[in-house]
Amino acid sequence: MKTTGARRSLPWLLGTWGVTRLLLLLFVFKVYLFPGPDVTSDVSVIYHGWYDVLSSGTFPQKDVTWQYPPAAALAILSPGLLPFLDYASAFFVLAFVADLVALCLLLYAGLRPAKSLRGAWVWVVGVPLLGPTVYARYDVMVTAVAVAALLAGARHPRLMGALTGFGAMLKVWPAMLLLGAVRRRAWGAAVVSAAAVAGLFALAMPGAFAFLTFQRERGTEVESLGSLVFHIARHFGWEGQVLLNYGSVEFLGPYVDWVSTGALFLTGAAFGWLVLWRLLAKRFMTHTLSDAAFVAVLMFTVTSRVISPQYMVWLVGLAAVCLCFRTTRMGLPALLVLAACFVTVLEFPVYFANVVASDGLGITLLVVRNGLLVVASVMGAVRLWRATVPPIPGPPPLPPQTARTQETPVSS
């Protein structure tokens, strides 16, 4: 009966996907203009510039905005597969295809016995909530790989590991998908896959790992959790400034290093908690792999020095995989992420000028968006812990006779 009901809702799901994706394409192709700054310029200017450099056989070694692992070159070069289109148009089409691939994977999983189409609905609804930014960044391609890896995890650990290793060479964060993996085959395949991709690029193209230096030198981006300190401090005489730095709009000035260091400390604390969870967790169900990945990426996103709008695509994809399982406990955290997606499109690009100006509207949007992510992170972590870590046993109860002899007499 449940499968029959899911199939009946399928036309609505596909129709919603078709309408929303048509709108996204109309926006990125500028048939209609989306409010705020042009989000497609990264593709037409920055990505296209990288394409020219990468096509020459080397990485952009002197460009500090290149902050990605070596396999990211494949995403940047991929529009070359469609030579009949200009670079930006080809990129948008391929982003659309990646979106479609993720949907097909979630549909295949959701229509299986004991699964649910809730995951596919999360993807269908969550992606357009972020606006045209989704198709103007390569993160949707990475997310499609991560979705495939998680859905393969339970039955095909080697395939899951290979996809995870490849995904980590696209944008690092998919490495966290292994957190809940219990089979060594998944870890081994991930190491082999990542090493093979890294080694191939290191031998074939100079500058494959220059991104490590550029990433280390980033500051506090204006949309991050730590940035709220300076958004508020600007109203009390803080003398720093907001500038485009290392490819993002960041705060520069007094005490920025302190806040950036604090963010790194929070990331380290999150990593420590995740390691502790992995050591103590004993109950691993079929959905634990995706639940753990969702919580891990959520925690690292919240504590990061940078929370770019496209990072939300990762969370939508992982939340979608979680909700493919009927027994997942990540339902409410997933809804909070969807709400955060809606606020995200308001803070960027719609009211990004207000965010940069640190006015009342900009600060309010950031407080709400980042607050939703913090609550989702804490709630997800608590639910993951309770579902997988057995409680510490207390002392055994005393026998009735012993308990009576130890009772304290009541004085008259």
Side-chain angles (χ1 to χ4, degrees), residues 46 50 60-67 214:
I46 299 176
W50 290 339
Q61 301 180 63
K62 297 181 180 180
D63 186 348
V64 296
T65 61
W66 176 262
Q67 301 173 9
F214 301 152

Side-chain angles (χ1 to χ4, degrees), residues 12 88 104 113 125 165 169 187 193 268 295 391:
W12 289 99
C104 291
V125 173
M169 289 294 100
W187 287 84
S193 174
V295 171

Side-chain angles (χ1 to χ4, degrees), residues 289-302:
L289 179 67
S290 55
D291 287 0
F294 175 58
V295 171
V297 175
L298 187 53
M299 293 177 74
F300 275 91
T301 300
V302 169

Side-chain angles (χ1 to χ4, degrees), residues 277 279-284 388-390:
W277 169 81
L279 293 174
L280 297 179
K282 301 298 180 185
R283 297 189 293 261
F284 287 85
T388 56
V389 178

Side-chain angles (χ1 to χ4, degrees), residues 113-272:
K115 296 295 193 301
S116 171
L117 282 180
R118 292 183 305 163
W121 273 110
V122 168
W123 183 254
V124 168
V125 173
V127 167
L129 283 178
L130 293 168
T133 304
V134 175
Y135 284 178
R137 306 290 187 272
Y138 84 92
D139 297 80
V140 67
M141 303 175 185
V142 184
T143 303
V145 174
V147 168
L150 282 178
L151 292 176
R155 302 177 64 184
H156 306 286
R158 285 196 180 92
L159 176 59
M160 183 260 184
L163 289 171
T164 299
F166 175 68
M169 289 294 100
L170 281 170
K171 206 164 188 181
V172 181
W173 67 265
M176 287 182 279
L177 305 185
L178 291 169
L179 183 68
V182 294
R183 299 185 184 181
R184 294 181 180 178
R185 286 174 291 175
W187 287 84
V191 171
V192 171
S193 174
V197 172
L200 180 62
F201 276 101
L203 292 173
M205 299 175 67
F209 296 97
F211 77 99
L212 294 172
T213 300
F214 301 152
Q215 188 65 244
R216 185 178 66 244
E217 295 175 353
R218 295 196 73 161
T220 297
E221 190 252 352
V222 295
E223 298 164 277
S224 66
L225 184 64
S227 73
L228 289 169
V229 173
F230 301 110
H231 281 295
I232 296 173
R234 292 176 81 182
H235 294 273
F236 295 92
W238 181 70
E239 297 179 353
Q241 51 189 332
V242 177
L243 294 174
L244 182 64
N245 187 53
Y246 289 97
S248 64
V249 181
E250 299 180 352
F251 280 111
L252 299 176
Y255 311 112
V256 171
D257 290 344
W258 291 16
V259 173
S260 297
T261 302
L264 292 174
F265 175 80
L266 289 176
T267 299
F271 179 75

Side-chain angles (χ1 to χ4, degrees), residues 17 21 95-105 107 123 135 140:
W17 184 87
R21 274 42 178 194
F96 168 82
V97 171
D99 179 3
L100 178 60
V101 168
L103 174 69
C104 291
L105 291 169
L107 285 175
W123 183 254
Y135 284 178
V140 67

